[in-house]
Amino acid sequence: MNIVLFGAPGAGKGTQAKELTKKYEIPQISTGDILREAIAKKTPLGLEAKKLMDGGNLVSDDIVNGLVEARLQEADCEKGFILDGFPRTVAQAEALDKILEKFNKKIEKVIALDVSDDEIIERITGRRVSKKTGKIYHIKYNPPVDEKEEDLEQRVDDNKETVMKRLEVYNKQTAPVLEYYKKQNKVYSVDGAKKLEEITKDIIDILEK
Ligand code: AP5
């Protein structure tokens, strides 16, 4: 099961990927998480990526392609994987096809989460992440039972100004990736405005079709 979870920033890719990893026991590969780890460790790559990410811009294709190629060679990807936040440009999608070809694999389905811009802004500005578990919450839609216990933090790029920039970048550089996969008949659209559990069910129905 080699799938791509596709959607605008805040569409719910990370939230749904976590549900699917539990059900199918395959890893979530989030390029955003990998880059944030590099930032936390203050590696040279992390320091370079931080400036771009804080401003809502994309990190270079070469860097991200290299990270994904290395990650896909790890043993836990043998049974499949869920890509979250990658590919984000047509050049990344082309590179991914070439990488997978080397391993005799291919992307089977691209699940596209549809959410309006207004909803995106509300979701991202209300998002909080647990420092302890990495679990994703929303102060209104999905609050934790015990806020203190979870030790919540807000991502640096989760403010309204940066969200607007991220949406602009998404429309210009990432939306065309959907056309790339539509030509390969791999795109399945899901209404991302529904409740979390309903969306998970819709995705599972598509994956098991
Ligand atoms: P990345 O970390 O990938 O961020 P993103 O794509 O902007 O996506 P998000 O993580 O913001 O949102 P999501 O869709 O996962 O939503 P979530 O489930 O959290 O990338 C960050 C940066 O890294 C980029 O800007 C770029 O600089 C760089 N980068 C990463 N990948 C790159 C690449 N391939 N190439 C170049 N640069 C790259 O949900 C959001 C909120 O909504 C949460 O609070 C959640 O609780 C809530 N929520 C989710 N679903 C629902 C629902 N159904 N109803 C109500 N609330 C919901």
Side-chain angles (χ1 to χ4, degrees):
M1 190 178 283
N2 307 331
I3 63 168
V4 172
L5 270 184
F6 188 87
K13 304 180 295 292
T15 302
Q16 294 302 327
K18 286 188 170 48
E19 294 305 314
L20 299 174
T21 56
K22 272 189 259 163
K23 179 163 173 66
Y24 295 109
E25 297 179 338
I26 54 174
Q28 165 197 14
I29 302 178
S30 157
T31 40
D33 286 349
I34 297 173
L35 291 166
R36 278 185 289 278
E37 255 174 56
I39 292 175
K41 287 183 186 151
K42 297 196 166 68
T43 65
L45 185 152
L47 295 175
E48 193 185 329
K50 182 170 171 33
K51 280 178 265 163
L52 292 160
M53 290 170 73
D54 287 356
N57 291 298
L58 295 184
V59 174
S60 83
D61 289 339
D62 285 348
I63 289 181
V64 182
N65 293 342
L67 292 172
V68 171
E69 178 160 13
R71 181 66 185 88
L72 285 172
Q73 290 177 65
E74 289 179 33
D76 62 343
C77 295
E78 209 47 38
K79 277 201 315 178
F81 49 81
I82 301 159
L83 287 168
D84 157 12
F86 181 91
R88 240 180 167 95
T89 62
V90 172
Q92 289 180 16
E94 288 167 350
L96 176 63
D97 279 350
K98 289 206 182 96
I99 293 167
L100 291 174
E101 215 175 281
K102 282 195 256 175
F103 309 141
N104 235 338
K105 290 182 178 171
K106 59 180 170 52
I107 292 299
E108 280 141 22
K109 289 180 181 169
V110 175
I111 310 292
L113 297 170
D114 289 333
V115 182
S116 72
D117 284 4
D118 286 346
E119 176 76 20
I120 296 273
I121 294 165
E122 183 157 13
R123 283 189 188 181
I124 291 193
T125 50
R127 172 169 50 195
R128 300 291 183 276
V129 183
S130 166
K131 275 198 223 171
K132 280 191 181 162
T133 60
K135 202 163 179 249
I136 305 165
Y137 292 101
H138 190 282
I139 45 173
K140 187 166 141 195
Y141 301 130
N142 185 23
V145 180
D146 184 341
E147 210 169 288
K148 276 215 178 96
E149 174 63 27
E150 289 292 331
D151 201 4
L152 299 181
E153 67 178 347
Q154 189 169 21
R155 267 170 49 179
V156 183
D157 58 347
D158 275 358
N159 57 76
K160 194 166 176 195
E161 195 192 352
T162 313
V163 174
M164 299 308 283
K165 176 68 189 172
R166 282 158 69 194
L167 277 173
E168 186 192 316
V169 169
Y170 170 79
N171 287 322
K172 215 169 165 179
Q173 294 178 262
T174 307
V177 174
L178 211 51
E179 294 309 311
Y180 177 86
Y181 284 120
K182 275 185 184 161
K183 283 187 199 141
Q184 299 183 8
N185 289 321
K186 289 180 179 168
V187 177
Y188 297 80
S189 291
V190 169
D191 180 359
K194 289 185 181 176
K195 291 203 174 112
L196 298 176
E197 313 76 48
E198 290 171 349
I199 300 170
T200 309
K201 189 183 168 301
D202 288 351
I203 297 176
I204 290 171
D205 284 349
I206 291 168
L207 295 179
E208 297 189 353
K209 229 191 278 180

